[in-house]
Amino acid sequence: MRLDWGRRPAALPWPTGMYAAGCGEGAFTLQSVAQPMCPIASTATKCGNCGPGYSTPLEAMKGPREEIIYLPCIYRNTGTEAPDYLATVDVDPKSPQYCQVIHRLPMPNLKDELHHSGWNTCSSCFGDSSKSRTKLVLPSLISSRIYVVDVGSEPRAPKLHKVIEPKDIHAKCELAFLHTSHCLASGEVMISSLGDLKGNGKGGFVLLDGETFEVKGTWERPGGAAPLGYDFWYQPRHNVMISTEWAAPNVLRDGFNPADVEAGLYGSHLYVWDWQRHEIVQTLSLKDGLIPLEIRFLHNPDAAQGFVGCALSSTIQRFYKNEGGTWSVEKVIQVPPKKVKGWLLPEMPGLITDILLSLDDRFLYFSNWLHGDLRQYDVSDPQRPRLTGQLFLGGSIVKGGPVQVLEDQELKSQPEPLVVKGKRVAGGPQMIQLSLDGKRLYVTTSLYSAWDKQFYPDLIREGSVMLQVDVDTVKGGLKLNPNFLVDFGKEPLGPALAHELRYPGGDCSSDIWI
């Protein structure tokens, strides 16, 4: 039985939760699925002891306010010879440690480049009372290690649970350079790859056992990987998964070279996978869609559409299912480039690097890392997004900087530099995470250490920051909270680069409903 979306409610010296309950009688299953799907609650009000997450996205919006946030902090390319670490930040306004890093968990190796993270289980297993969201999975973009962190025993002081070494992944999967981690309703964890062992492009998927974290092999059929990889999202009710692509690791690893764009080495396609058969059934070529990165289906599990942010072309593309059952894509937002002087190229793209959808599918958010603005669009009509909020949080075109804007289709003058609690913010808005109720947006400023070093040298010297933006969920609108700042430039071992944000109880980019 499907949920009714509309009616019924996922070694060095260091200074030293929330879980939803609820379980249902019904289950949603797909015929001929190789991996069994765990049951989903049919009626949340009858639940007494459900599994992780929430019965529906709308029910998740009623969840408790976030009190702590986990985020990986990176030292690769900063000049500090220290391992990356997982930071725990207190974001409870009532806490005496508000806006402080309250715990640091260093990894046992150097130069991993922690990047994104995911859960051992999430709302896709809401109906399974044997599951609990207690482990955070941290794939490494460069080393290809996977760290499994226990956040259940002591949520405010996580500890390392298991390390999966690259050799184990190489031997069973022949994949490397790992990115997105999603929990599956089968109880497994699935992680996307950017390449093979030699750094050539290879968009495959590593499968882990969600209990033992043993490497089981690849999700895709043998020989069936995409040419390139990056992010992915699945929607079982439509028997589909769609994946995106950045570039081969050998192309992007040490920085951005415009010649590689001219040579066609950066991605411009979406790959549509049959969720049951684990194989590509359609390749979508993106017009004005260079470097499609983060992809988001609408949270409504019945929805057959979503959005992808294309970084270099600075477009938002809407993908959707046609009446005939195939998939199409169309550009719905274009951020115009700015003609500039004193920069790498004569035109500067916005560089859309992260996107999010609110849990009610009303608002789309994205960050322009180079231009420096954060945007909110009303996507109640997904074909016609309407800009409802915009906020500049640093960026490359601020007044007094090295870049002079010669022609701008949007602004009358260059924005002022951002200063929060006396700290001038280096870099631009990058990773974003929305509170469950949609009223607070958290922002960090680091993209990827090699690109940080190239585009924002000050970010390497001064460290990244974490900011908080208040959201008007009625009329739309964004306003910076002037009293919130986490300054990772003041970390004990030196300035660090903080990246993706996660709450213990799940969020709108890690949970998928089936």
Side-chain angles (χ1 to χ4, degrees), residues 59-70:
E59 195 67 17
M61 294 188 77
K62 304 173 187 176
R65 178 177 173 135
E66 65 284 355
E67 296 180 353
I68 55 175
I69 288 179
Y70 303 123

Side-chain angles (χ1 to χ4, degrees), residues 68-74 84-91 100-105 107 114-117 136 138 151 158 431 433 442-446 464-467 484 486 488 491 496-504:
I68 55 175
I69 288 179
Y70 303 123
L71 66 170
C73 295
I74 292 86
D84 299 345
Y85 60 99
L86 182 70
T88 305
V89 175
D90 190 320
V91 294
Q100 295 179 30
V101 178
I102 59 173
H103 187 267
R104 300 169 181 87
L105 175 67
M107 300 301 117
L114 298 181
H115 199 62
H116 285 209
S117 61
L136 188 64
L138 290 163
V151 300
M431 294 307 297
Q433 190 55 264
Y442 295 91
V443 186
T444 57
T445 51
S446 168
S464 63
V465 300
M466 176 177 163
L467 305 170
F484 187 103
V486 183
F488 290 94
E491 287 295 274
L497 303 171
H499 198 64
E500 192 189 41
L501 309 109
R502 291 277 179 239
Y503 313 131

Side-chain angles (χ1 to χ4, degrees), residues 46 91 108 150 197 232 262 287 327 354 398 408 483 488 508:
K46 295 182 180 179
V91 294
D150 177 3
L197 283 58
F232 70 100
E262 295 295 324
K287 182 181 179 182
W327 294 77
D354 196 16
V398 294
D408 194 323
N483 299 313
F488 290 94
C508 62

Side-chain angles (χ1 to χ4, degrees), residues 25 53 324 356 410 486 495:
E25 306 154 346
L356 285 181
E410 295 184 317
V486 183

Side-chain angles (χ1 to χ4, degrees), residues 2-257:
R2 292 181 179 179
L3 289 169
D4 185 330
W5 166 256
R7 298 178 186 175
R8 299 192 186 117
L12 286 178
W14 295 83
T16 57
M18 300 173 294
Y19 298 96
C23 205
E25 306 154 346
F28 172 70
T29 58
L30 290 170
Q31 299 297 319
S32 306
V33 179
Q35 303 144 359
M37 309 291 266
C38 68
I40 295 295
S42 60
T43 309
T45 55
K46 295 182 180 179
C47 291
N49 185 28
C50 272
Y54 301 87
S55 57
T56 69
L58 297 183
E59 195 67 17
M61 294 188 77
K62 304 173 187 176
R65 178 177 173 135
E66 65 284 355
E67 296 180 353
I68 55 175
I69 288 179
Y70 303 123
L71 66 170
C73 295
I74 292 86
Y75 274 126
R76 180 174 171 267
N77 278 313
T78 66
T80 297
E81 288 295 307
D84 299 345
Y85 60 99
L86 182 70
T88 305
V89 175
D90 190 320
V91 294
D92 181 1
K94 301 186 298 293
S95 169
Q97 295 176 305
Y98 180 56
C99 277
Q100 295 179 30
V101 178
I102 59 173
H103 187 267
R104 300 169 181 87
L105 175 67
M107 300 301 117
N109 300 282
L110 296 173
K111 304 185 189 304
D112 284 310
E113 187 93 29
L114 298 181
H115 199 62
H116 285 209
S117 61
W119 296 103
N120 63 314
T121 187
C122 67
S123 292
S124 62
C125 276
F126 174 75
D128 188 344
S129 60
S130 70
K131 306 289 185 185
S132 59
R133 193 193 313 250
T134 59
K135 306 294 190 303
L136 188 64
V137 180
L138 290 163
S140 301
L141 190 59
I142 295 301
S143 72
S144 303
R145 279 187 192 87
I146 302 171
Y147 296 103
V148 182
V149 176
D150 177 3
V151 300
S153 300
E154 294 183 68
R156 298 176 70 87
K159 58 187 178 183
L160 193 59
H161 175 73
K162 184 171 183 177
V163 179
I164 304 167
E165 293 293 345
K167 61 182 177 60
D168 297 327
I169 300 159
H170 297 166
K172 292 187 178 181
C173 304
E174 297 184 351
L175 296 173
F177 304 94
L178 306 180
H179 190 266
T180 299
S181 174
H182 272 306
C183 39
L184 308 186
S186 61
E188 295 163 313
V189 174
M190 183 167 160
I191 303 172
S192 61
S193 74
L194 273 67
D196 63 15
L197 283 58
K198 296 182 179 179
N200 302 307
K202 189 175 183 181
F205 304 90
V206 175
L207 269 186
L208 304 179
D209 183 284
E211 297 290 339
T212 66
F213 302 100
E214 175 191 358
V215 180
K216 300 181 71 173
T218 61
W219 175 85
E220 73 278 7
R221 294 178 180 273
L228 297 172
Y230 186 72
D231 195 21
F232 70 100
W233 197 280
Y234 62 89
Q235 200 83 323
R237 293 190 187 181
H238 294 279
N239 187 37
V240 69
M241 178 180 81
I242 301 181
S243 64
T244 66
E245 55 181 15
W246 187 1
N250 289 338
V251 171
L252 63 89
R253 181 178 359 212
D254 297 321
F256 175 76
N257 184 347

